[in-house]
Coordinates of all heavy atoms in Angstrom, one line a residue:
M453 N -57.3 147.6 113.2 CA -57.4 147.2 111.8 C -57.5 148.5 111.0 O -58.3 149.4 111.3 CB -58.5 146.3 111.5 CG -58.5 145.7 110.2 SD -59.6 144.3 109.8 CE -60.5 143.9 111.3
P454 N -56.8 148.6 109.9 CA -56.9 149.9 109.1 C -58.3 150.0 108.4 O -58.9 149.1 108.1 CB -55.8 149.8 108.1 CG -55.3 148.4 108.1 CD -55.8 147.8 109.3
K455 N -58.7 151.3 108.2 CA -59.8 151.6 107.4 C -59.4 152.1 106.1 O -58.3 152.8 105.9 CB -60.6 152.7 108.1 CG -61.6 152.3 109.2 CD -62.5 153.4 109.6 CE -63.4 152.9 110.7 NZ -64.2 154.0 111.2
F456 N -60.2 151.8 105.0 CA -59.9 152.2 103.6 C -61.1 152.8 103.0 O -62.2 152.6 103.4 CB -59.6 150.9 102.9 CG -58.4 150.2 103.3 CD1 -58.5 149.2 104.3 CD2 -57.1 150.4 102.7 CE1 -57.4 148.5 104.7 CE2 -56.0 149.7 103.1 CZ -56.2 148.7 104.1
L457 N -60.8 153.8 102.1 CA -61.8 154.4 101.2 C -61.6 153.8 99.8 O -60.5 153.9 99.2 CB -61.7 155.9 101.2 CG -62.7 156.6 100.3 CD1 -64.1 156.5 100.9 CD2 -62.3 158.1 100.1
I458 N -62.7 153.2 99.3 CA -62.6 152.5 98.0 C -63.6 153.3 97.0 O -64.7 153.5 97.3 CB -63.1 151.0 98.1 CG1 -62.3 150.3 99.2 CG2 -63.0 150.3 96.7 CD1 -62.9 149.0 99.6
D459 N -63.0 153.6 95.9 CA -63.8 154.2 94.8 C -64.1 153.0 93.8 O -63.2 152.5 93.2 CB -63.1 155.3 94.1 CG -63.8 155.8 92.8 OD1 -65.0 155.4 92.6 OD2 -63.3 156.7 92.1
R460 N -65.4 152.6 93.8 CA -65.8 151.5 92.9 C -66.6 152.1 91.8 O -67.4 153.0 91.9 CB -66.8 150.6 93.6 CG -66.1 149.9 94.9 CD -67.1 149.0 95.5 NE -66.8 148.5 96.8 CZ -66.1 147.3 97.0 NH1 -65.8 146.6 96.0 NH2 -65.8 147.0 98.2
N461 N -66.3 151.6 90.6 CA -66.9 152.0 89.3 C -67.8 150.9 88.8 O -67.4 149.9 88.5 CB -65.8 152.3 88.3 CG -66.3 152.7 87.0 OD1 -67.3 152.3 86.5 ND2 -65.4 153.4 86.3
F462 N -69.1 151.3 88.8 CA -70.1 150.3 88.3 C -70.6 150.7 87.0 O -71.8 151.0 86.7 CB -71.3 150.2 89.3 CG -71.0 149.6 90.6 CD1 -70.5 150.4 91.7 CD2 -71.1 148.2 90.8 CE1 -70.1 149.8 92.9 CE2 -70.8 147.6 92.0 CZ -70.3 148.4 93.1
S463 N -69.7 150.8 86.0 CA -70.1 151.3 84.6 C -71.1 150.4 83.9 O -71.7 150.9 82.9 CB -68.8 151.5 83.8 OG -68.2 150.3 83.7
K464 N -71.3 149.2 84.3 CA -72.1 148.2 83.6 C -73.5 148.0 84.2 O -74.2 147.2 83.8 CB -71.4 146.9 83.4 CG -70.2 147.1 82.5 CD -69.5 145.8 82.3 CE -68.4 146.1 81.3 NZ -67.1 145.6 81.5
I465 N -73.8 148.8 85.3 CA -75.1 148.6 85.9 C -75.7 149.9 86.1 O -75.1 151.0 86.0 CB -75.0 147.8 87.3 CG1 -74.2 148.7 88.3 CG2 -74.3 146.5 87.2 CD1 -74.4 148.2 89.7
T466 N -77.0 149.9 86.5 CA -77.8 151.1 86.7 C -77.8 151.3 88.2 O -77.5 150.4 89.1 CB -79.2 151.0 86.2 OG1 -79.9 150.0 86.9 CG2 -79.2 150.6 84.7
E467 N -78.3 152.5 88.6 CA -78.4 152.8 90.1 C -79.4 151.8 90.7 O -79.3 151.4 91.9 CB -78.9 154.2 90.2 CG -78.9 154.7 91.6 CD -79.3 156.2 91.8 OE1 -79.6 156.8 90.7 OE2 -79.2 156.7 92.9
D468 N -80.4 151.5 89.9 CA -81.5 150.6 90.5 C -80.9 149.1 90.8 O -81.4 148.5 91.7 CB -82.6 150.5 89.5 CG -83.5 151.7 89.4 OD1 -83.4 152.5 90.3 OD2 -84.1 151.9 88.3
E469 N -80.0 148.7 90.0 CA -79.3 147.4 90.2 C -78.3 147.4 91.3 O -77.9 146.3 91.8 CB -78.7 146.9 88.9 CG -79.6 146.7 87.7 CD -78.9 146.5 86.4 OE1 -77.9 147.3 86.1 OE2 -79.3 145.6 85.7
L470 N -78.0 148.5 91.8 CA -76.9 148.6 92.9 C -77.3 147.9 94.1 O -76.4 147.3 94.8 CB -76.6 150.1 93.1 CG -75.4 150.3 94.0 CD1 -74.1 149.7 93.3 CD2 -75.2 151.8 94.2
G471 N -78.6 147.8 94.5 CA -79.0 147.2 95.7 C -78.6 145.7 95.7 O -78.2 145.2 96.8
E472 N -78.7 145.0 94.6 CA -78.4 143.6 94.5 C -76.9 143.4 94.8 O -76.5 142.5 95.5 CB -78.8 143.0 93.2 CG -80.3 142.6 93.2 CD -80.8 141.8 94.3 OE1 -80.1 140.7 94.6 OE2 -81.8 142.1 95.0
F473 N -76.1 144.3 94.2 CA -74.6 144.2 94.4 C -74.3 144.5 95.9 O -73.4 143.9 96.4 CB -73.9 145.2 93.5 CG -73.7 144.7 92.1 CD1 -74.7 144.9 91.1 CD2 -72.6 144.0 91.8 CE1 -74.6 144.4 89.9 CE2 -72.5 143.5 90.5 CZ -73.4 143.7 89.5
A474 N -75.0 145.4 96.5 CA -74.7 145.7 97.9 C -75.0 144.4 98.8 O -74.3 144.1 99.6 CB -75.5 146.8 98.4
K475 N -76.2 143.7 98.4 CA -76.5 142.5 99.2 C -75.5 141.5 99.0 O -75.0 140.8 99.9 CB -77.9 142.0 98.7 CG -79.0 142.7 99.1 CD -80.3 142.2 98.6 CE -81.5 143.0 98.8 NZ -82.7 142.5 98.2
N476 N -74.9 141.3 97.7 CA -73.9 140.3 97.4 C -72.6 140.7 98.2 O -71.9 139.7 98.7 CB -73.6 140.2 95.9 CG -74.8 139.5 95.2 OD1 -75.5 138.8 95.8 ND2 -74.9 139.8 93.9
S477 N -72.2 141.9 98.3 CA -71.0 142.4 99.0 C -71.2 142.0 100.5 O -70.3 141.4 101.1 CB -70.9 143.9 98.8 OG -69.8 144.3 99.6
K478 N -72.3 142.3 101.1 CA -72.5 142.0 102.5 C -72.5 140.5 102.7 O -71.9 140.0 103.7 CB -73.8 142.6 102.9 CG -74.1 142.5 104.5 CD -75.3 143.2 104.9 CE -75.5 143.0 106.4 NZ -76.6 143.8 106.9
R479 N -73.1 139.7 101.8 CA -73.2 138.3 102.0 C -71.8 137.7 101.9 O -71.4 136.8 102.6 CB -74.1 137.7 100.9 CG -74.3 136.2 101.0 CD -75.2 135.6 100.0 NE -75.1 136.1 98.6 CZ -74.1 135.8 97.8 NH1 -73.2 134.9 98.2 NH2 -74.0 136.3 96.6
M480 N -71.0 138.1 100.9 CA -69.7 137.7 100.7 C -68.8 137.9 102.0 O -68.0 137.1 102.4 CB -69.0 138.3 99.6 CG -69.4 137.8 98.2 SD -68.7 136.2 97.9 CE -69.6 135.8 96.4
A481 N -69.0 139.1 102.5 CA -68.2 139.5 103.7 C -68.5 138.5 104.9 O -67.7 138.0 105.6 CB -68.4 140.9 104.1
I482 N -69.8 138.2 105.0 CA -70.3 137.3 106.1 C -69.8 135.9 105.9 O -69.3 135.2 106.8 CB -71.8 137.4 106.2 CG1 -72.2 138.8 106.8 CG2 -72.3 136.3 107.2 CD1 -73.7 139.0 106.7
E483 N -69.9 135.4 104.7 CA -69.6 134.0 104.4 C -68.2 133.7 104.2 O -67.7 132.6 104.6 CB -70.4 133.6 103.1 CG -72.0 133.5 103.3 CD -72.7 133.2 102.0 OE1 -72.1 133.0 100.9 OE2 -73.9 133.2 102.1
R484 N -67.5 134.6 103.5 CA -66.1 134.2 103.1 C -65.0 135.2 103.5 O -63.8 134.9 103.4 CB -66.0 134.1 101.6 CG -66.9 133.0 101.1 CD -66.9 132.9 99.6 NE -65.6 133.1 98.9 CZ -65.4 133.4 97.7 NH1 -66.5 133.6 96.9 NH2 -64.3 133.5 97.1
F485 N -65.4 136.4 103.9 CA -64.5 137.5 104.3 C -64.8 138.1 105.6 O -65.0 139.3 105.7 CB -64.4 138.5 103.2 CG -64.0 138.0 101.9 CD1 -64.9 137.5 101.0 CD2 -62.6 138.0 101.5 CE1 -64.5 137.0 99.7 CE2 -62.2 137.5 100.3 CZ -63.1 137.0 99.4
N486 N -64.9 137.3 106.7 CA -65.3 137.8 108.0 C -64.3 138.7 108.6 O -64.6 139.4 109.6 CB -65.7 136.7 108.9 CG -64.5 135.7 109.1 OD1 -63.4 135.9 108.7 ND2 -64.8 134.6 109.9
D487 N -63.2 138.9 108.0 CA -62.2 139.9 108.5 C -62.3 141.2 107.7 O -61.6 142.2 107.9 CB -60.8 139.4 108.4 CG -60.4 139.0 107.0 OD1 -61.2 138.8 106.1 OD2 -59.1 138.8 106.7
V488 N -63.4 141.4 106.8 CA -63.6 142.6 106.1 C -64.9 143.1 106.6 O -66.0 142.5 106.6 CB -63.8 142.3 104.6 CG1 -64.2 143.5 103.8 CG2 -62.4 141.7 104.0
V489 N -64.9 144.4 107.0 CA -66.1 145.1 107.6 C -66.5 146.2 106.7 O -65.7 147.1 106.5 CB -65.8 145.5 109.0 CG1 -67.1 146.3 109.6 CG2 -65.4 144.4 109.9
W490 N -67.7 146.2 106.3 CA -68.3 147.3 105.5 C -68.9 148.3 106.4 O -69.9 148.0 107.1 CB -69.3 146.8 104.5 CG -70.0 147.8 103.6 CD1 -69.6 149.0 103.3 CD2 -71.2 147.5 103.0 NE1 -70.5 149.6 102.5 CE2 -71.5 148.7 102.2 CE3 -72.1 146.5 102.9 CZ2 -72.7 148.9 101.5 CZ3 -73.3 146.6 102.1 CH2 -73.5 147.8 101.4
H491 N -68.4 149.5 106.5 CA -69.0 150.5 107.4 C -70.2 151.4 106.7 O -71.2 151.4 107.3 CB -67.9 151.5 107.9 CG -66.9 150.8 108.7 ND1 -67.1 150.4 110.0 CD2 -65.6 150.4 108.4 CE1 -66.0 149.8 110.5 NE2 -65.2 149.7 109.5
H492 N -69.9 151.9 105.6 CA -70.9 152.6 104.9 C -70.4 153.0 103.4 O -69.2 152.9 103.2 CB -71.4 153.9 105.6 CG -70.3 154.9 105.7 ND1 -69.5 154.9 106.8 CD2 -70.1 156.0 105.0 CE1 -68.6 156.0 106.6 NE2 -69.0 156.7 105.5
S493 N -71.3 153.5 102.6 CA -71.0 153.9 101.2 C -71.8 155.1 100.9 O -72.9 155.3 101.3 CB -71.3 152.8 100.2 OG -70.5 151.6 100.5
H494 N -71.2 155.9 99.9 CA -71.9 157.0 99.3 C -72.0 156.7 97.9 O -71.0 156.2 97.2 CB -71.1 158.3 99.5 CG -70.9 158.7 100.9 ND1 -71.9 159.4 101.7 CD2 -69.9 158.4 101.8 CE1 -71.4 159.5 102.9 NE2 -70.2 159.0 103.0
V495 N -73.2 156.8 97.3 CA -73.4 156.5 95.9 C -73.4 157.8 95.1 O -74.1 158.7 95.5 CB -74.7 155.8 95.7 CG1 -75.0 155.5 94.2 CG2 -74.7 154.4 96.5
V496 N -72.7 157.9 94.0 CA -72.7 159.1 93.2 C -72.9 158.7 91.8 O -72.5 157.6 91.4 CB -71.4 159.9 93.4 CG1 -71.3 160.5 94.8 CG2 -70.2 159.2 92.9
I497 N -73.4 159.6 91.0 CA -73.5 159.4 89.5 C -72.6 160.4 88.9 O -72.8 161.6 89.1 CB -75.0 159.6 89.0 CG1 -75.9 158.7 89.8 CG2 -75.0 159.2 87.5 CD1 -75.7 157.3 89.8
D498 N -71.6 160.0 88.1 CA -70.7 160.9 87.5 C -71.4 161.6 86.3 O -72.4 161.2 85.9 CB -69.4 160.3 87.2 CG -69.3 159.4 86.0 OD1 -70.3 159.4 85.2 OD2 -68.3 158.6 85.9
P499 N -70.7 162.6 85.7 CA -71.3 163.4 84.6 C -71.7 162.5 83.4 O -72.5 162.9 82.6 CB -70.2 164.4 84.2 CG -69.4 164.6 85.5 CD -69.5 163.3 86.2
D500 N -71.0 161.3 83.3 CA -71.3 160.4 82.1 C -72.4 159.5 82.5 O -72.7 158.5 81.7 CB -70.0 159.7 81.8 CG -68.9 160.6 81.2 OD1 -69.3 161.5 80.5 OD2 -67.8 160.3 81.4
G501 N -73.0 159.5 83.7 CA -74.1 158.6 84.1 C -73.6 157.4 84.7 O -74.4 156.5 84.9
V502 N -72.3 157.2 85.0 CA -71.7 156.0 85.6 C -71.9 156.1 87.1 O -71.6 157.1 87.8 CB -70.2 155.9 85.2 CG1 -69.6 154.7 85.9 CG2 -70.1 155.8 83.7
V503 N -72.4 154.9 87.7 CA -72.5 154.8 89.1 C -71.2 154.5 89.8 O -70.4 153.6 89.3 CB -73.5 153.7 89.4 CG1 -73.6 153.4 90.9 CG2 -74.9 153.9 88.9
H504 N -70.9 155.3 90.8 CA -69.6 155.0 91.6 C -70.1 154.9 93.1 O -71.1 155.5 93.4 CB -68.7 156.2 91.6 CG -67.9 156.4 90.3 ND1 -66.6 156.0 90.2 CD2 -68.3 156.9 89.1 CE1 -66.3 156.3 88.9 NE2 -67.2 156.8 88.3
T505 N -69.4 154.1 93.8 CA -69.6 154.1 95.3 C -68.3 154.4 95.9 O -67.3 154.0 95.5 CB -70.2 152.8 95.8 OG1 -69.2 151.7 95.5 CG2 -71.5 152.4 95.2
F506 N -68.3 155.3 96.9 CA -67.2 155.5 97.8 C -67.5 154.9 99.1 O -68.4 155.3 99.8 CB -67.0 157.0 97.9 CG -66.6 157.7 96.6 CD1 -67.5 158.2 95.7 CD2 -65.3 157.8 96.3 CE1 -67.2 158.7 94.5 CE2 -64.9 158.4 95.1 CZ -65.8 158.9 94.2
C507 N -66.8 153.8 99.3 CA -67.1 152.9 100.4 C -66.0 152.9 101.5 O -64.8 152.9 101.2 CB -67.2 151.4 99.9 SG -68.3 151.2 98.5
V508 N -66.4 152.9 102.7 CA -65.5 152.8 103.8 C -65.5 151.3 104.4 O -66.6 150.8 104.8 CB -65.8 153.8 105.0 CG1 -64.9 153.6 106.2 CG2 -65.7 155.2 104.4
Y509 N -64.4 150.7 104.4 CA -64.2 149.3 104.8 C -63.1 149.3 105.8 O -62.1 150.0 105.7 CB -63.9 148.4 103.7 CG -65.1 147.9 102.9 CD1 -65.7 148.6 101.9 CD2 -65.5 146.6 103.1 CE1 -66.7 148.2 101.2 CE2 -66.6 146.1 102.4 CZ -67.2 146.9 101.4 OH -68.2 146.4 100.7
S510 N -63.1 148.3 106.8 CA -62.0 147.9 107.6 C -61.5 146.5 107.1 O -62.4 145.7 106.7 CB -62.3 147.8 109.0 OG -62.6 149.0 109.6
A511 N -60.2 146.4 106.9 CA -59.7 145.1 106.5 C -58.2 145.0 106.9 O -57.6 146.0 107.2 CB -59.8 145.0 105.0
P512 N -57.7 143.8 107.0 CA -56.3 143.6 107.4 C -55.4 144.3 106.4 O -54.4 144.9 106.8 CB -56.1 142.1 107.4 CG -57.5 141.5 107.4 CD -58.4 142.5 106.8
D513 N -55.7 144.3 105.1 CA -54.9 144.9 104.1 C -55.7 145.1 102.8 O -56.7 144.6 102.7 CB -53.6 144.1 103.9 CG -53.8 142.7 103.5 OD1 -54.7 142.4 102.7 OD2 -53.1 141.9 104.0
E514 N -55.0 145.8 101.9 CA -55.7 146.1 100.6 C -56.0 144.8 99.8 O -57.0 144.7 99.1 CB -54.8 147.0 99.8 CG -55.3 147.5 98.5 CD -54.6 148.5 97.7 OE1 -53.9 149.3 98.4 OE2 -54.5 148.4 96.5
S515 N -55.1 143.8 99.9 CA -55.3 142.6 99.1 C -56.6 141.9 99.5 O -57.2 141.3 98.7 CB -54.1 141.7 99.2 OG -54.0 141.2 100.5
R516 N -56.9 142.0 100.8 CA -58.2 141.4 101.2 C -59.4 142.1 100.6 O -60.4 141.4 100.2 CB -58.3 141.4 102.7 CG -57.7 140.3 103.4 CD -58.1 138.9 102.9 NE -59.3 138.4 103.7 CZ -59.9 137.3 103.3 NH1 -59.5 136.5 102.2 NH2 -60.9 136.8 104.0
L517 N -59.3 143.4 100.5 CA -60.4 144.1 99.9 C -60.5 143.9 98.4 O -61.6 143.7 97.9 CB -60.2 145.6 100.0 CG -60.2 146.2 101.4 CD1 -59.8 147.6 101.5 CD2 -61.6 146.0 102.1
R518 N -59.4 143.7 97.7 CA -59.4 143.3 96.3 C -60.0 142.0 96.1 O -60.7 141.7 95.2 CB -58.1 143.5 95.7 CG -57.6 144.9 95.6 CD -56.4 145.2 94.8 NE -56.1 146.6 94.7 CZ -56.6 147.5 93.9 NH1 -57.6 147.1 93.0 NH2 -56.2 148.8 93.9
A519 N -59.6 141.0 97.0 CA -60.2 139.6 96.9 C -61.7 139.7 97.1 O -62.4 139.0 96.3 CB -59.5 138.7 97.9
H520 N -62.1 140.4 98.1 CA -63.6 140.5 98.3 C -64.3 141.1 97.1 O -65.3 140.6 96.7 CB -63.8 141.4 99.6 CG -65.2 141.8 99.8 ND1 -65.7 143.0 99.4 CD2 -66.2 141.1 100.4 CE1 -67.0 143.1 99.7 NE2 -67.4 142.0 100.3
A521 N -63.7 142.2 96.5 CA -64.3 142.8 95.3 C -64.4 141.8 94.2 O -65.4 141.8 93.5 CB -63.5 144.1 95.0
A522 N -63.3 141.1 94.0 CA -63.3 140.1 92.8 C -64.4 139.0 93.1 O -64.9 138.5 92.1 CB -61.9 139.5 92.7
A523 N -64.6 138.7 94.3 CA -65.5 137.6 94.6 C -67.0 137.9 94.2 O -67.7 137.1 93.7 CB -65.5 137.2 96.1
F524 N -67.4 139.2 94.3 CA -68.8 139.5 93.9 C -68.8 140.2 92.6 O -69.9 140.3 92.0 CB -69.5 140.2 95.1 CG -69.3 141.7 95.2 CD1 -70.1 142.6 94.6 CD2 -68.3 142.1 96.1 CE1 -69.9 144.0 94.8 CE2 -68.1 143.5 96.3 CZ -68.9 144.4 95.7
G525 N -67.7 140.7 92.0 CA -67.7 141.2 90.7 C -68.6 142.3 90.3 O -69.1 142.9 91.1
G526 N -68.8 142.5 89.0 CA -69.7 143.5 88.5 C -69.2 144.9 88.5 O -70.0 145.9 88.1
H527 N -68.0 145.2 88.9 CA -67.4 146.5 89.0 C -65.9 146.5 88.9 O -65.3 145.4 88.8 CB -67.9 147.1 90.3 CG -67.2 146.5 91.5 ND1 -67.4 145.3 91.9 CD2 -66.2 147.1 92.3 CE1 -66.6 145.0 93.0 NE2 -65.9 146.1 93.2
Q528 N -65.4 147.7 88.9 CA -64.0 147.8 89.0 C -63.6 148.7 90.1 O -64.4 149.6 90.4 CB -63.3 148.2 87.6 CG -63.6 149.7 87.3 CD -63.0 150.0 86.0 OE1 -62.8 149.2 85.1 NE2 -62.5 151.3 85.9
I529 N -62.4 148.6 90.7 CA -61.9 149.5 91.7 C -61.1 150.5 91.0 O -60.1 150.2 90.4 CB -61.2 148.7 92.8 CG1 -62.1 147.8 93.6 CG2 -60.5 149.7 93.7 CD1 -61.4 147.0 94.6
D530 N -61.5 151.8 91.2 CA -60.7 152.9 90.6 C -59.5 153.3 91.5 O -58.5 153.7 91.0 CB -61.6 154.1 90.2 CG -62.5 153.9 89.0 OD1 -62.2 152.9 88.3 OD2 -63.3 154.7 88.8
S531 N -59.8 153.2 92.9 CA -58.7 153.6 93.8 C -59.1 153.0 95.2 O -60.2 152.8 95.5 CB -58.5 155.0 93.8 OG -59.6 155.7 94.4
I532 N -58.0 152.8 96.0 CA -58.1 152.4 97.4 C -57.2 153.3 98.1 O -56.0 153.3 97.8 CB -57.8 150.9 97.6 CG1 -58.8 150.0 96.9 CG2 -57.8 150.6 99.1 CD1 -58.6 148.5 97.1
A533 N -57.6 153.9 99.2 CA -56.7 154.7 100.0 C -56.9 154.4 101.5 O -58.0 154.1 101.9 CB -57.0 156.2 99.8
I534 N -55.8 154.3 102.3 CA -55.9 154.2 103.7 C -56.5 155.5 104.3 O -56.0 156.6 103.9 CB -54.6 153.8 104.3 CG1 -54.2 152.4 103.8 CG2 -54.7 153.8 105.8 CD1 -52.8 152.0 104.3
I535 N -57.4 155.4 105.2 CA -58.0 156.6 105.8 C -57.0 156.9 107.0 O -56.8 156.1 107.9 CB -59.4 156.3 106.3 CG1 -60.3 156.1 105.1 CG2 -59.9 157.5 107.2 CD1 -61.8 155.7 105.5
A536 N -56.5 158.1 106.9 CA -55.5 158.5 108.0 C -56.2 159.0 109.2 O -55.6 159.0 110.3 CB -54.5 159.6 107.4
G537 N -57.4 159.5 109.1 CA -58.2 160.0 110.2 C -59.5 160.6 109.7 O -59.8 160.6 108.5
D538 N -60.2 161.2 110.7 CA -61.5 161.8 110.4 C -61.5 163.2 111.0 O -60.9 163.4 112.0 CB -62.7 160.9 111.0 CG -62.7 159.6 110.4 OD1 -62.8 159.5 109.1 OD2 -62.7 158.6 111.2
V539 N -62.3 164.0 110.4 CA -62.6 165.4 110.9 C -64.1 165.5 111.1 O -64.9 165.3 110.2 CB -62.1 166.4 109.9 CG1 -62.5 167.9 110.5 CG2 -60.6 166.3 109.7
D540 N -64.5 165.8 112.3 CA -65.9 166.0 112.7 C -66.1 167.6 112.9 O -65.6 168.1 113.9 CB -66.3 165.2 113.9 CG -67.7 165.3 114.3 OD1 -68.4 166.2 113.8 OD2 -68.2 164.5 115.0
P541 N -66.9 168.2 112.0 CA -67.1 169.6 112.2 C -67.7 170.0 113.5 O -67.6 171.2 114.0 CB -68.0 170.0 111.0 CG -68.5 168.8 110.4 CD -67.6 167.7 110.9
D542 N -68.5 169.1 114.1 CA -69.1 169.4 115.5 C -68.1 169.5 116.6 O -68.3 170.0 117.6 CB -70.2 168.3 115.8 CG -71.3 168.4 114.9 OD1 -71.6 169.5 114.4 OD2 -72.0 167.4 114.7
E543 N -66.9 168.9 116.3 CA -65.9 168.9 117.4 C -64.9 170.1 117.2 O -63.9 170.2 118.0 CB -65.1 167.6 117.4 CG -66.1 166.4 117.8 CD -65.3 165.1 117.8 OE1 -64.2 165.1 117.4 OE2 -66.0 164.1 117.9
I544 N -65.0 170.9 116.1 CA -64.1 172.0 115.9 C -64.7 173.2 116.6 O -65.8 173.7 116.4 CB -63.9 172.2 114.4 CG1 -63.3 171.0 113.7 CG2 -63.1 173.5 114.2 CD1 -63.3 171.1 112.3
V545 N -63.8 173.9 117.4 CA -64.2 175.1 118.1 C -63.7 176.2 117.3 O -62.6 176.3 116.9 CB -63.5 175.1 119.5 CG1 -63.9 176.4 120.2 CG2 -64.0 173.9 120.3
V546 N -64.7 177.2 117.0 CA -64.3 178.4 116.2 C -64.2 179.6 117.1 O -64.9 179.8 118.0 CB -65.4 178.6 115.2 CG1 -65.0 179.7 114.2 CG2 -65.8 177.3 114.5

């Protein structure tokens, strides 16, 4: 199953409120989107104070990720990209 990197924009919530959205995302995946797997997320605050998450998910396709995002709401997706691979600096020989 492909992995995706999703840039989510939470312009209408605070960093403190993000925990509830994370719980809703996980609950939705368990209850209605069992083919969508949330691996991890990085939370950033942009220069304008807007909360973004960069999330790694596995899913059959992009449309399933968009359906999952729409189901729990409260944000917009700025971009979705298929992850082509990973680089681990511990595995690079210098």
Side-chain angles (χ1 to χ4, degrees):
M453 190 166 359
K455 279 187 180 177
F456 297 87
L457 179 67
I458 308 167
D459 175 4
R460 298 177 190 269
N461 174 332
F462 290 88
S463 61
K464 297 182 173 138
I465 69 165
T466 66
E467 187 177 4
D468 292 335
E469 296 170 313
L470 192 58
E472 283 303 311
F473 278 88
K475 287 178 190 177
N476 287 339
S477 176
K478 186 174 180 178
R479 183 178 44 77
M480 284 287 173
I482 292 168
E483 293 174 0
R484 296 177 43 200
F485 297 89
N486 56 8
D487 58 345
V488 173
V489 178
W490 177 23
H491 296 284
H492 66 275
S493 297
H494 299 277
V495 179
V496 300
I497 310 297
D498 73 15
D500 296 325
V502 176
V503 176
H504 288 258
T505 60
F506 291 88
C507 306
V508 176
Y509 277 80
S510 294
D513 55 42
E514 184 177 324
S515 66
R516 275 307 270 172
L517 294 173
R518 290 190 181 279
H520 170 260
F524 79 92
H527 72 289
Q528 70 181 35
I529 292 176
D530 287 349
S531 66
I532 297 178
I534 294 176
I535 296 174
D538 296 307
V539 177
D540 183 342
D542 291 334
E543 295 177 3
I544 297 174
V545 178
V546 189

